[in-house]
Amino acid sequence: MLFFNFRRSLKAQSDYIIALAGNPNVGKTTLFNQLTGMNQHTGNWAGKTVTLTSGEFEFNDYLVKVVDLPGSYSLLCDSPEEIITKDYICSNEHNCVIIVADATALERNLNLVLQILNLTSKAVLCLNFMDEVKKKGIEIDSAELSLQLGIPVIPVSASRKKGINELIDAVIGVSEGTTKTYCVNSISDIFESSTNDSYAELSEKVSTYSKHIAELCICKKGEGYSTLHRKIDKLLLSPLTSVPVMILVFAVVFWLTAFGANYPGQLLNIVFDYLKTALLNFMSAINIPEVICSLLIDGVYTTVTWVVSVMLPPAMIFFPLFAILEDTGILPRFAFNLDRIFSKAGSNGKQALTMLMGFGCNACGVMGCRIIRNPKERLFAIATNSFIPCNGRLPTLIALISVFICDNSKGNFYNSLVTTGILLLILVFAVFVTLGVTFVMSRFSKSENAGGFVLELPPYRKPQIIKVILLSIKEKVLYVLSRAVIVSVPVGAVIWILTNVSINEISILNYITDFIEPFALLLGVDGVILTSVFLSFPANEILIPVILMAYNTGSTLTDYSSLTELGNILTVNGWGIITALCTIILCLFHFPCSTTCLSIKKETGSNLWTFISIITPLVIGFTICLILNTIYRLFV
Amino acid sequence: MQYLTLNQLEIGNKGNILNINKKCNNRLRLLDLGFTYNTDIYPIWNGFGKKITAYLIKGTLIALRSDEAKHINVIQK
């Protein structure tokens, strides 16, 4: 009796455990989100889920745990995703497997279905994207398919929440045992008779059988590749229009990110200033010593609020935009177009997409490099990701361009276009440097071309805009915001100490800037700028504020209320066009920020490559500055 | 009936896959993706310099570089 109760209470944790398996990009994670209400990120790309996630839901008093397995094309291969999937399915932990299939590409999906059915017959086939099936004029005989496979087949449209209840019913039925599934002999025969077969022969047998089932169950084939999709692809892929369209999309994204952030940024500043006065009043009211007050407010609070007001508005624009692009399926087309250039550099088109992610946040870009299968190419992409300026560096670049290159007498809108144009040039330069460095790295590391490059171009799907925006905010924006805050707190304290603690009437910061001044002058900048570059290791956003603070010999990060004011302060301190240029170069190429370094260490697991990622941009930045400055001094 | 390698198959033509040369690094992965014997394949889009091509196979668009495609033997009907 006691034993029975004990077991029951263990199981009361969850009544049933179900696994979600299927090809990449079939809507497994969307289905997972629908079932569990958890928000895991999806993107219209093959290969996004690389870890096992699990969630739960309740249905008619049952508590069901769902495990989202990584997408795999087959279980015969030895890649990590496929091993995890195979091991989990073979284990006794789950009660039922939901095999999610893209109903618009049923034949290809049947490959994995048959392999899973060879391992377990406690399964349910979920035919997803039924809404698209209808649009394409395809007709599938689910009853016949169910007969052929020996398991229930449920048509579903996960994004439209249709068929989910029927799916859960079937799953509970199979888990309980009330719905009978059976092992189809012809399927197990394929695998039994193949023990001596090579991979190719087995693949072929499975493929032939999939074709056979598909022919029996697909009544109307419909258009494999619809006219509308063809037209869009023609725009995005044909040599004439592909490059202009890509540039246009990139330019719009950059312009929106760089300038759409202005007003929200100003708003945030007003709010933070108000809070600052309130905090100061509160602190003096409770008699906190002035030194502590200054450390906390002038140091920590000012730094944190500066960083947040600089990085949050662009992040809130860029990440949702990127997520929408990703969801529609456009991004793989860009990878297709750019593959030529990147393969010449020793990498592949997907690196372009990791660089685009890096534009939002280099740490996210580094994590995004998982989409590159080839391990060496992945390392190159990770190491060079920080060459692309992230959202945090954008305002610095824009401010410097506006002050020193733009003509501020013309209107704001005109200036914003000019600045975007110059920003684009800078970005193109950064891309070229990335390609060059990748090329050099690929020459130096002797690797056979394992992995190769196979790119799936998924069908265009309408993104669920609101959902995507909310998800991206929750996932990416909150992540970068939290790292910004966590990192800025100690940095604020350190900067306060450096500027407020003096030895012989000279602050520690001034000692440092004077010490490295000779070296800095060689690079076309001055000691203050170079020190600020190093101090921006925790968070790139603080570069200009630290510079201003050091110049003003002030005790707190200084804001500038207008670009003219910024220009004045800098010019008074000896800035010329060459200083601005070299500072821009150093801003682009110094070292990855602390969060990115952590990501690099985590993703590569290698101290060597983390070191390479830190040193390479630094050396390049210093070299370019040295060259520029020498040329300027000699000829101007 | 013509025997070709996949990279030689022109856009607009229909090919039927015979096998994949063992020299191909991606062979197993391609087999998993459906590049098996007697599968129809249609080249649809060429990238710059024809170094990469998008193929329609089993209802999906998959892009391969010509370096990979040259290892796949097809029959053109």
Side-chain angles (χ1 to χ4, degrees):
Chain A
M1 196 65 182
L2 263 172
F3 183 62
F4 174 78
N5 281 338
F6 176 63
R7 271 197 67 194
R8 222 189 131 77
S9 69
L10 260 188
K11 261 238 154 160
Q13 299 223 339
S14 64
D15 292 304
Y16 298 117
I17 302 180
I18 59 177
L20 284 180
N23 283 357
N25 203 39
V26 292
K28 264 193 296 83
T29 311
T30 311
L31 183 64
F32 179 84
N33 290 342
Q34 297 286 16
L35 290 174
T36 62
M38 265 170 76
N39 292 317
Q40 298 298 318
H41 186 59
T42 66
N44 198 5
W45 270 109
K48 280 221 78 157
T49 315
V50 287
T51 48
L52 283 186
T53 35
S54 61
E56 298 179 328
F57 68 93
E58 264 190 49
F59 184 79
N60 286 353
D61 290 339
Y62 292 114
L63 186 63
V64 182
K65 181 174 168 190
V66 187
V67 177
D68 186 12
L69 298 173
S72 24
Y73 289 110
S74 101
L75 300 179
L76 303 174
C77 219
D78 274 343
S79 78
E81 292 100 5
E82 278 141 23
I83 295 180
I84 293 177
T85 308
K86 189 173 183 181
D87 282 346
Y88 193 81
I89 294 180
C90 287
S91 78
N92 282 323
E93 192 182 303
H94 58 89
N95 302 103
C96 178
V97 178
I98 301 181
I99 315 173
V100 186
D102 181 348
T104 62
L106 186 58
E107 191 190 319
R108 206 268 298 275
N109 281 251
L110 279 174
N111 200 337
L112 182 68
V113 173
L114 295 178
Q115 290 181 40
I116 294 180
L117 288 178
N118 180 42
L119 298 174
T120 172
S121 56
K122 288 206 114 179
V124 171
L125 178 61
C126 167
L127 290 179
N128 199 5
F129 298 125
M130 286 307 289
D131 45 322
E132 285 182 29
V133 158
K134 219 172 173 180
K135 271 191 210 154
K136 289 189 174 177
I138 305 175
E139 274 176 33
I140 303 179
D141 186 351
S142 318
E144 178 66 33
L145 191 56
S146 182
L147 220 68
Q148 290 290 326
L149 298 175
I151 56 174
V153 170
I154 313 288
V156 152
S157 173
S159 55
R160 302 213 176 164
K161 304 191 189 181
K162 288 203 177 145
I164 310 276
N165 285 333
E166 290 84 340
L167 179 66
I168 302 178
D169 269 332
V171 166
I172 304 264
V174 168
S175 309
E176 271 181 335
T178 48
T179 308
K180 294 289 179 207
T181 59
Y182 48 94
C183 188
V184 176
N185 285 332
S186 18
I187 297 179
S188 24
D189 280 348
I190 301 173
F191 295 92
E192 262 170 41
S193 67
S194 305
T195 38
N196 287 325
D197 279 348
S198 68
Y199 193 102
E201 286 165 348
L202 179 56
S203 268
E204 200 186 295
K205 283 185 183 168
V206 177
S207 180
T208 315
Y209 198 76
S210 307
K211 202 168 184 176
H212 162 72
I213 297 185
E215 269 160 23
L216 284 175
C217 304
I218 299 181
C219 319
K220 257 171 80 181
K221 274 219 159 156
E223 263 184 70
Y225 183 33
S226 74
T227 343
L228 178 64
H229 287 185
R230 219 178 262 263
K231 280 193 191 150
I232 304 178
D233 269 341
K234 186 158 189 202
L235 198 66
L236 284 172
L237 297 179
S238 67
L240 220 65
T241 52
S242 58
V243 172
V245 169
M246 265 196 316
I247 294 182
L248 188 66
V249 172
F250 286 149
V252 168
V253 169
F254 295 154
W255 186 82
L256 280 174
T257 309
F259 293 99
N262 273 343
Y263 292 117
Q266 285 167 9
L267 206 66
L268 270 178
N269 277 332
I270 296 174
V271 170
F272 286 140
D273 277 338
Y274 179 76
L275 270 175
K276 182 175 183 172
T277 350
L279 271 173
L280 274 169
N281 289 339
F282 172 72
M283 287 185 127
S284 63
I286 61 174
N287 285 328
I288 293 196
E290 201 172 308
V291 177
I292 304 287
C293 198
S294 181
L295 169 69
L296 287 177
I297 301 292
D298 292 334
V300 176
Y301 178 83
T302 312
T303 312
V304 173
T305 53
W306 172 273
V307 170
V308 170
S309 67
V310 157
M311 53 69 57
L312 190 62
M316 296 234 10
I317 298 176
F318 178 78
F319 286 114
L321 272 181
F322 182 84
I324 291 175
L325 277 182
E326 204 180 14
D327 234 42
T328 53
I330 290 182
L331 292 185
R333 269 85 182 165
F334 288 173
F336 179 88
N337 288 330
L338 293 168
D339 186 57
R340 177 93 196 276
I341 299 185
F342 279 86
S343 65
K344 285 208 164 159
S347 178
N348 68 57
K350 286 185 185 174
Q351 189 176 352
L353 300 172
T354 62
M355 285 157 68
L356 185 61
M357 286 187 230
F359 178 78
C361 167
N362 289 131
C364 297
V366 163
M367 287 196 287
C369 290
R370 291 177 190 175
I371 58 178
I372 302 178
R373 276 185 85 97
N374 186 323
K376 270 285 175 328
E377 289 174 6
R378 189 185 306 144
L379 281 174
F380 302 155
I382 290 177
T384 56
N385 198 277
S386 67
F387 290 4
I388 303 293
C390 60
N391 277 174
R393 295 187 252 175
L394 221 54
T396 310
L397 293 172
I398 293 175
L400 291 177
I401 296 174
S402 303
V403 167
F404 286 94
I405 305 181
C406 273
D407 179 0
N408 283 313
S409 60
K410 310 235 169 82
N412 267 340
F413 183 68
Y414 173 81
N415 266 339
S416 76
L417 288 180
V418 171
T419 316
T420 311
I422 299 182
L423 198 61
L424 268 173
L425 283 175
I426 291 181
L427 280 162
V428 169
F429 177 63
V431 169
F432 271 115
V433 173
T434 310
L435 287 172
V437 172
T438 312
F439 178 76
V440 169
M441 281 183 183
S442 68
R443 281 285 171 271
F444 272 103
S445 62
K446 296 160 236 165
S447 67
E448 306 86 42
N449 190 20
F453 183 63
V454 175
L455 180 67
E456 188 179 334
L457 302 176
Y460 291 108
R461 303 215 148 109
K462 220 183 195 171
Q464 303 170 282
I465 296 198
I466 308 276
K467 193 154 199 188
V468 165
I469 292 181
L470 289 177
L471 258 177
S472 83
I473 290 180
K474 181 177 167 184
E475 206 184 61
K476 291 271 167 54
V477 177
L478 282 184
Y479 168 76
V480 296
L481 180 62
S482 61
R483 74 91 201 162
V485 170
I486 292 172
V487 145
S488 316
V489 168
V491 168
V494 165
I495 289 181
W496 186 88
I497 294 174
L498 286 178
T499 48
N500 283 292
V501 173
S502 304
I503 305 174
N504 289 340
E505 308 264 307
I506 304 177
S507 72
I508 304 181
L509 184 65
N510 280 336
Y511 274 116
I512 301 175
T513 57
D514 288 340
F515 180 68
I516 63 175
E517 178 99 9
F519 179 56
L521 286 173
L522 276 178
L523 298 177
V525 293
D526 65 23
V528 164
I529 301 171
L530 194 56
T531 318
S532 310
V533 167
F534 281 103
L535 280 176
S536 71
F537 171 68
N540 282 307
E541 292 87 347
I542 62 175
L543 182 65
I544 289 193
V546 172
I547 291 177
L548 292 180
M549 178 183 68
Y551 281 145
N552 276 348
T553 60
S555 57
T556 171
L557 285 190
T558 315
D559 196 350
Y560 51 91
S561 46
S562 75
L563 286 173
T564 347
E565 190 189 329
L566 175 67
N568 289 338
I569 302 177
L570 294 179
T571 337
V572 155
N573 280 285
W575 277 54
I577 182 82
I578 187 70
T579 329
L581 206 57
C582 290
T583 311
I584 289 177
I585 297 288
L586 283 178
C587 176
L588 277 179
F589 307 115
H590 48 287
F591 34 70
C593 71
S594 56
T595 324
T596 310
C597 283
L598 279 172
S599 288
I600 294 177
K601 176 74 211 289
K602 194 167 154 219
E603 292 291 309
T604 60
S606 149
N607 283 328
L608 172 67
W609 276 94
T610 314
F611 179 72
I612 293 177
S613 312
I614 295 176
I615 284 293
T616 319
L618 197 62
V619 166
I620 290 176
F622 282 175
T623 316
I624 298 180
C625 282
L626 205 61
I627 295 174
L628 277 177
N629 189 37
T630 323
I631 297 177
Y632 183 79
R633 299 280 170 225
L634 284 179
F635 294 109
V636 177
Chain B
M1 242 192 14
Q2 244 188 309
Y3 288 88
L4 299 168
T5 55
L6 187 59
N7 62 319
Q8 294 167 335
L9 193 62
E10 298 275 326
I11 303 240
N13 287 332
K14 173 176 164 179
N16 188 282
I17 298 183
L18 274 178
N19 58 36
I20 307 179
N21 196 319
K22 292 202 175 150
K23 275 190 252 175
C24 178
N25 276 325
N26 252 340
R27 188 164 170 260
L28 300 187
R29 186 158 158 76
L30 288 173
L31 287 172
D32 287 340
L33 281 170
F35 285 73
T36 48
Y37 173 73
N38 200 22
T39 306
D40 289 332
I41 184 165
Y42 309 80
I44 307 272
W45 302 110
N46 271 331
F48 286 107
K50 304 200 179 173
K51 289 284 184 183
I52 185 171
T53 309
Y55 299 96
L56 187 63
I57 176 170
K58 290 191 175 168
T60 346
L61 269 183
I62 296 185
L64 285 183
R65 289 183 179 163
S66 56
D67 284 344
E68 307 270 344
K70 74 181 182 208
H71 293 301
I72 304 177
N73 298 313
V74 297
I75 309 176
Q76 180 179 330
K77 294 185 178 161

